[in-house]
Amino acid sequence: MKLIIPLLILILTLSSKQEKEITIKETNKVEKTTLKTFTYEDIARYTMASIMGQQPKIITAIKKGNLYYVSYIRKSDRRKFDYKIKFYGTKILWSNIDGRWRNSQYDEKINFIENKNKLSIIQTFSDGSQDIQEYKKGQ
């Protein structure tokens, strides 16, 4: 009996460590989706427009490494907002420039669908509800 308890603890510790390693590997995996009409900069702009309720034309996006930096100046008070975005296939992860990534179970999940000259940004909230915003190239 004395040997069983330490053995069980060891097994649980090892299996927990393996799960963490798998999660880390999956998180670090970057997938690229072949885009036909839109660029990733476009999608980053439209994503923040959708999330923040702003017009895409006032939003700029630039790529640095694997991140897209998005910013805009709100017209009502001239305040500047900065964000960063990562893409995992058609999944989008975002953060304030100096904040946390929105990847907890309670944060919305964001995906995009490109269909000819139309882009859909889909936000799925923790309660299962969705907000879908559609954009056309050049909007």
Side-chain angles (χ1 to χ4, degrees):
M1 185 69 166
K2 289 182 181 180
L3 292 175
I4 293 175
I5 293 175
L7 183 61
L8 288 174
I9 291 172
L10 178 64
I11 291 171
L12 290 173
T13 304
L14 290 176
S15 67
S16 173
K17 184 177 178 183
Q18 287 175 338
E19 287 176 14
K20 286 178 186 175
E21 288 176 2
I22 291 168
T23 302
I24 290 168
K25 287 177 185 175
E26 288 176 357
T27 303
N28 291 335
K29 183 179 175 185
V30 176
E31 299 174 14
K32 286 288 184 178
T33 299
T34 303
L35 301 175
K36 295 179 176 73
T37 303
F38 296 88
T39 65
Y40 280 101
E41 286 86 353
D42 291 333
I43 297 169
R45 287 179 44 245
Y46 294 129
T47 298
M48 292 318 298
S50 179
I51 293 168
M52 297 300 160
Q54 299 296 320
Q55 293 298 315
K57 290 189 180 219
I58 69 167
I59 300 174
T60 60
I62 59 169
K63 181 180 182 183
K64 290 184 183 175
N66 288 333
L67 298 178
Y68 292 82
Y69 292 88
V70 183
S71 64
Y72 67 91
I73 297 174
R74 188 168 54 196
K75 289 185 179 184
S76 63
D77 60 3
R78 306 296 297 156
R79 184 172 170 208
K80 185 176 183 191
F81 295 88
D82 296 297
Y83 305 95
K84 54 191 174 186
I85 288 181
K86 293 191 246 191
F87 292 96
Y88 296 96
T90 60
K91 294 178 179 160
I92 302 167
L93 193 59
W94 73 279
S95 169
N96 288 346
I97 201 71
D98 58 353
R100 68 175 183 84
W101 289 104
R102 301 307 201 274
N103 60 355
S104 80
Q105 68 184 40
Y106 302 108
D107 292 318
E108 75 275 19
K109 307 299 179 229
I110 304 172
N111 293 293
F112 72 88
I113 297 173
E114 181 187 37
N115 187 5
K116 298 182 183 178
N117 68 340
K118 185 174 73 173
L119 179 74
S120 298
I121 303 294
I122 305 153
Q123 294 181 70
T124 304
F125 300 96
S126 59
D127 66 358
S129 64
Q130 289 186 328
D131 179 46
I132 301 172
Q133 298 291 320
E134 293 181 344
Y135 299 95
K136 291 184 180 177
K137 182 75 174 174
Q139 190 173 353

